[in-house]
Amino acid sequence: MSADLLGRVAAKSAESGRLQTPITAVGLIAPEKRLGFRLHPLLAALCQRVGDGGFGPAESLLSLTPAPQSDDESTVADSYLDCIPPADADTW
């Protein structure tokens, strides 16, 4: 993983009005457990070094954790799990 890439993303993201506080390595455990898999190392590094959401195209990268100031903002896990049909669903 390129420290240069993380640095460039961090510099550009500093302009975002929605940038969330970075997440800790311990803070990654609950979202990964809820998702059922580990995050890609680049996404994990971005969330730990840049911010836990609120940056990227249209400042729209979702947070891994619920924002303390907002009850209605979806997290990455919420959005992902909402797309998976129940095991007994007829998806054909």
Side-chain angles (χ1 to χ4, degrees), residues 32-70:
E32 288 180 335
K33 187 173 184 176
R34 185 159 182 238
L35 289 167
F37 56 85
R38 305 243 3 215
L39 296 175
H40 186 280
L42 178 57
L43 179 57
L46 287 168
C47 291
Q48 290 179 78
R49 298 181 191 168
V50 177
D52 182 21
F55 65 96
E59 301 176 351
S60 62
L61 187 67
L62 294 177
S63 178
L64 294 173
T65 58
Q69 69 275 16
S70 173

Side-chain angles (χ1 to χ4, degrees), residues 80-92:
Y80 174 79
L81 294 172
D82 285 347
C83 293
I84 299 174
D88 60 346
D90 181 11
T91 59
W92 185 253

